[in-house]
Structures are given as structure tokens and as C-alpha cells.
Amino acid sequence: MSYYLPETVDCNGDTFKVFITKEEIEARVSLLGKKLDKDFEGKRPIFIGILNGAFIFLADIMRSVSIPCEVDFMKLSSYGDEKVSSGQVTELKEIDAKVKGRHVVLVEDIVDTGLSMKYIVERMNSYDPASVSVVTLLHKKDATKHEVQIDYVGFEIPTKFVLGYGLDFAQEGRNLAQIYVLDSEQES
Ligand code: PRP
């Protein structure tokens, strides 16, 4: 398979540079997969990907676990087409699976303010699952204002706008195979 791996990329008028390489992502995803294998052995977890951003990370993390598991999706939007969160969560697609009594693993691409994850965890808990765990590839710890539960983190990152590996800027850039940062923000 060939991947889209430019050194820099122009997206909606801004220039982005490589921030986390494909190799770094692969190594981290592999490690997280091993942890999930161990922690959920015999529990047949259901991975719930939060669309759209999580679709690539979800695909990779699921292929890095070897225990029996299932998948479903929920779709939310909090950013719209902007670089900062709108402060409001809009639910665009509910899950189809019945999660009562199940071990739920929520899979996100990024936790920023924490607003989306707080909303999702509360929603999942209302279904009376056996457990709810949270995996996020990226966590902007300094930007997180809402108290959120995060059990597995790929990378703690500074409060900078990032793109690629599922993350977009006004819907573009999700197809980049690694993570990029705004060129002007890289040295700050
Ligand atoms: C992004 C991301 C998370 C959320 C994180 O989604 O995928 O769901 O924002 O931000 P928060 O912690 O401040 O809530 P977005 O609304 O951009 O939709 P998308 O996944 O379709 O890109």
C-alpha cells in the first residue's frame, strides 16, 4: 500500500509541517493494542469510533488487537469548519449496538477541550454498560477544560492545531498518513 506522506502540505490556505511521523504513530498504536489485548482479554469489548476524525486511528487500533472484539460508530461535531471548538456538541449519528452490560471502548482521534468526550462518556454510561474506557490518539492536556476520563493516550501534545491521520481542517487533510502542525505554530 502507498501512503500520502508529504513533508509539507497546503490546506485551505495554511501550510502544515510534519509533527508526528507515520513510524511514531505505528509504534504507539502497536503498544496501545498490546495493552488493550491484556486489559480486555475475555471481555469481548465493543470499540466505538467517534466519527469522523477517529476513522483511521480506529482502523489501525482494531487491527493491532488480537482478542475477539466488535465495532460500532457514533458521529459528533464540535468544531464545524473552524480551528477552535464551537463549544457545542452536535450529535449526528447514534450508535446501533446495544451496549448494556458490555465493555465499551470509546476511540477518539483527539481530546481538546474535553467537551465531546465528556458528552460521549455521559451518554454511554446512561446505557448501563459493564465498563466504559477511553482511548485517544492525541490529548491537548493544557487545552482540556472539562473533566474527562482518558484511559489510553497515544501522544500528549501542546495546544496547537494539528491535521492528518483522520484529523481535518474544514474537512480537508484527513487522508494524510501522519500528523502535521501549522507551520507558523511549530516553533512556539
Ligand atoms: C474533533 C475531534 C473530537 C473533538 C475534540 O471533532 O474528532 O471529536 O473535536 O474536541 P473537544 O475535546 O474540544 O470536544 P470535530 O468536531 O472536529 O468533528 P470531526 O471528528 O468530524 O472532525
Side-chain angles (χ1 to χ4, degrees), residues 16-27:
F16 292 79
K17 281 189 168 183
V18 177
F19 183 53
I20 305 175
T21 66
K22 183 169 175 294
E23 290 72 25
E24 289 170 326
I25 296 170
E26 281 171 356

Side-chain angles (χ1 to χ4, degrees), residues 45-51 54 58 70-76 90-107 116-117 119-133:
I46 177 157
F47 289 89
I48 297 181
I50 314 303
L51 297 173
L58 175 74
E70 298 176 29
V71 71
D72 197 7
F73 300 92
M74 186 173 183
K75 181 166 174 164
L76 297 182
T90 307
E91 193 170 317
L92 303 172
K93 182 202 172 296
E94 237 305 14
I95 53 166
D96 296 315
K98 300 280 177 282
V99 298
K100 185 177 164 81
R102 301 291 307 272
H103 294 280
V104 170
V105 181
L106 298 169
V107 180
S116 304
M117 190 48 75
Y119 176 94
I120 301 158
V121 168
E122 281 171 10
R123 169 54 68 101
M124 283 306 134
N125 278 326
S126 75
Y127 296 138
D128 202 17
S131 69
V132 176
S133 302

